Amino acid sequence: MAVKTVEDATFEAATNQGVSITDFWATWCGPCRMQSPVLEALSDEVDNVEFVKMDVDQNPQTPAEFGIRAIPTLLVKKDGEVLERLTGFHNKKQLADILSKYAN
């Protein structure tokens, strides 16, 4: 499974059913470039979570709606409800542990 790129117009449809994790990032952000391969690797191992990413420079509406002021920020949602908000780099084990709380 790969990390899917979403835009303001497609974010809700991609993250409102089941468990999802969204990576809010930008091309100029160093920690974001570190976070991306971690999510890619994890997406290959975890089948029941939707992995998505959104470029905050190209899509300002959704980050503003969620009050995203620092990147990378990761939102974990289940059935449309935000359950976790993580700011800064997180390693694979940290993310796997968090996702295991919500994904069955």
Side-chain angles (χ1 to χ4, degrees):
M1 185 178 223
V3 178
K4 182 167 64 171
T5 299
V6 294
E7 300 173 343
D8 286 332
T10 59
F11 175 77
E12 290 298 322
T15 64
N16 272 357
Q17 290 187 335
V19 178
S20 68
I21 184 166
T22 304
D23 177 17
F24 291 92
W25 69 285
T27 56
W28 49 263
C29 168
C32 298
R33 288 192 303 270
M34 293 169 44
Q35 190 67 74
S36 184
V38 172
L39 288 170
E40 288 286 343
L42 202 54
S43 75
D44 290 336
E45 297 175 15
V46 180
D47 293 329
N48 49 354
V49 174
E50 186 72 30
F51 288 82
V52 298
K53 65 181 185 175
M54 176 180 281
D55 184 329
V56 299
D57 290 334
Q58 300 296 319
N59 302 281
Q61 179 183 337
T62 302
E65 288 175 10
F66 286 95
I68 308 272
R69 297 198 182 0
I71 54 174
T73 292
L74 305 171
L75 288 185
V76 178
K77 293 173 72 180
K78 184 168 187 178
D79 297 328
E81 179 185 350
V82 176
L83 302 175
E84 300 263 354
R85 175 187 296 258
L86 310 161
T87 302
F89 174 80
H90 289 76
N91 67 39
K92 188 175 169 185
K93 180 175 180 347
Q94 290 169 317
L95 293 179
D97 288 348
I98 289 165
L99 291 174
S100 72
K101 295 190 294 187
Y102 306 111
N104 298 332

